[in-house]
Amino acid sequence: MKPEVLQLNPILIPSINEKLNARYLVHRLYEQRDRDAYIREHGRNIQAVITGGHTGISNALMDQLPALKVVAVNGVGTDAVDLAYARARGLPVTATFGALTEDVADLAIGLLIATCRGVCAGDRFIRDGMWPRHPQPSAIPLARRFSGMRVGIVGMGRVGRAIATRAAAFGCPVSYTDLRVMTDVPYAFVADLRTLASQSDALVLAAAADQAQGIVNADILDALGSQGFLINIARGKLVNELDLVEALRAGRIAGAGLDVFVDEPNVPVELLSMDNVSLQAHRASATVETRTAMGEMVLDSLEQALAGLRPEASLTT
Ligand code: 8YV
């Protein structure tokens, strides 16, 4: 009999799904109408869970799976899993560190350029048939230059470093904040987030959200200032979204590029009409290349855990 696996989010790579189906009996919870009833029926047989970074798994669900041997997060953010709880249970929780670094960093820079250069607003201007009606150049406000912007990065992990490399290639002075100084990077460390924001033209969030809920609030946005841009490719909950909406509405910051939100898939309605905001639907790791690499890492973690080995990518065991 094939081991039984519970999958909480879809995987969009056919080759990964084929391998999953060949090796396991896969229960796709997201396809079930009555999920509680489904868990009551199948929970006792589940040996592995595959979930997304944003979805994670609740302690209550872990408790309903007595045969569980691994939670494989198809992502790098583990803020939606109680790691201490899993550790106490001796349960490996794995993540796909390294697989998505380049694509997430690419989108961070893409969102920053899109926002400061008004790429999305310009696209809408043409699609809405506005150019022939307003052919004079003054119909579109002048944009802001990205090259040379002072970029402040919050979180100098793998993704933060990849963003820094890219920003540096555009001639941007890079500084960062983190829980500690990183002695192996050439960028300026700023201990305090408010100071970093006040010294940056663009503040880019690339931090883990485990203990950093709401760190970007009205005070930090005011320090970033009316010429400053906020980019978030990490987690929505790093930002106080009400403060962000208000700062954008009042022109207290220049714009924002956002891939993540507090209550996905719900996006604050005020943002939808703002031309200085570029939006993405949590897509930073969503390329064929990265999702294939992530899926292979998930498959490895399942294989190792179900063979009784400690998964290489385990954070808890
Ligand atoms: C993914 C993420 O979109 O890595 C993460 O933590 O949030 C994203 O890369 C998600 O995990 C896909 O399932």
Side-chain angles (χ1 to χ4, degrees), residues 118-176:
V119 173
C120 302
D123 181 271
R124 282 193 295 273
F125 184 79
I126 293 181
R127 285 178 202 270
D128 292 348
M130 302 296 274
W131 202 4
R133 278 192 263 157
H134 303 279
Q136 66 281 18
S138 59
I140 306 179
L142 290 178
R144 290 273 307 285
R145 176 187 293 167
F146 167 57
S147 291
M149 260 187 193
R150 295 169 303 163
V151 172
I153 299 177
V154 181
M156 196 41 77
R158 288 182 182 82
V159 172
R161 288 164 193 235
I163 294 168
T165 306
R166 285 156 177 72
F170 281 86
C172 300
V174 174
S175 31
Y176 71 98

Side-chain angles (χ1 to χ4, degrees), residues 12-31:
L12 303 178
I13 302 292
S15 65
I16 300 295
N17 287 319
E18 280 160 25
K19 289 181 192 174
L20 279 172
N21 291 335
R23 297 175 196 176
Y24 307 109
L25 173 57
V26 184
H27 298 278
R28 297 192 159 88
L29 192 63
Y30 54 89
E31 289 175 352

Side-chain angles (χ1 to χ4, degrees), residues 1-305:
M1 278 234 307
K2 290 182 192 171
E4 299 189 30
V5 171
L6 183 69
Q7 194 182 330
L8 304 190
N9 296 121
I11 287 181
L12 303 178
I13 302 292
S15 65
I16 300 295
N17 287 319
E18 280 160 25
K19 289 181 192 174
L20 279 172
N21 291 335
R23 297 175 196 176
Y24 307 109
L25 173 57
V26 184
H27 298 278
R28 297 192 159 88
L29 192 63
Y30 54 89
E31 289 175 352
Q32 307 307 319
R33 205 175 298 163
D34 186 343
R35 296 179 186 185
D36 291 337
Y38 195 83
I39 295 294
R40 278 196 298 277
E41 191 182 338
H42 298 283
R44 76 183 69 84
N45 302 321
I46 301 295
Q47 296 192 42
V49 165
I50 304 173
T51 186
H54 187 71
T55 305
I57 183 170
S58 66
N59 293 353
L61 181 51
M62 282 194 259
D63 287 346
Q64 287 174 280
L65 311 175
L68 189 60
K69 295 196 175 110
V70 62
V71 173
V73 176
N74 188 26
V76 293
T78 52
D79 50 296
V81 184
D82 186 341
L83 294 182
Y85 192 78
R87 198 172 287 122
R89 215 181 125 159
L91 182 67
V93 176
T94 66
T96 64
F97 291 114
L100 48 65
T101 309
E102 310 304 329
D103 282 335
V104 176
D106 287 353
L107 193 74
I109 298 296
L111 273 174
L112 179 46
I113 295 177
T115 307
C116 72
R117 295 299 303 268
V119 173
C120 302
D123 181 271
R124 282 193 295 273
F125 184 79
I126 293 181
R127 285 178 202 270
D128 292 348
M130 302 296 274
W131 202 4
R133 278 192 263 157
H134 303 279
Q136 66 281 18
S138 59
I140 306 179
L142 290 178
R144 290 273 307 285
R145 176 187 293 167
F146 167 57
S147 291
M149 260 187 193
R150 295 169 303 163
V151 172
I153 299 177
V154 181
M156 196 41 77
R158 288 182 182 82
V159 172
R161 288 164 193 235
I163 294 168
T165 306
R166 285 156 177 72
F170 281 86
C172 300
V174 174
S175 31
Y176 71 98
T177 193
D178 206 313
L179 300 178
R180 60 180 177 84
V181 187
M182 305 286 160
T183 49
D184 56 343
V185 297
Y187 314 112
F189 174 68
V190 180
D192 166 52
L193 175 56
R194 193 177 198 287
T195 308
L196 181 72
S198 71
Q199 294 173 358
S200 300
D201 300 307
L203 193 65
V204 183
L205 308 185
D210 303 64
Q211 286 153 22
Q213 192 154 346
I215 54 169
V216 176
N217 55 20
D219 186 42
I220 302 299
L221 295 168
D222 283 337
L224 182 60
S226 61
Q227 301 302 306
F229 295 91
L230 179 75
I231 303 301
N232 191 2
I233 43 72
R235 279 289 182 272
K237 64 183 167 188
L238 290 168
V239 179
N240 180 320
E241 232 166 41
L242 291 176
D243 287 0
L244 175 61
V245 167
E246 184 48 30
L248 285 162
R249 200 196 53 72
R252 288 175 15 243
I253 67 168
L258 307 170
D259 183 47
V260 286
F261 305 87
V262 170
D263 180 29
E264 295 169 11
N266 302 305
V267 174
V269 69
E270 297 88 340
L271 298 180
L272 305 183
S273 55
M274 293 179 180
D275 268 350
N276 56 345
V277 174
S278 312
L279 302 169
Q280 285 286 297
H282 201 142
R283 303 270 300 158
S285 70
T287 67
V288 172
E289 293 82 354
T290 280
R291 288 291 169 85
T292 303
M294 289 165 68
E296 289 294 346
M297 288 183 79
V298 165
L299 285 165
D300 287 348
S301 291
L302 261 53
E303 191 174 331
Q304 291 158 6

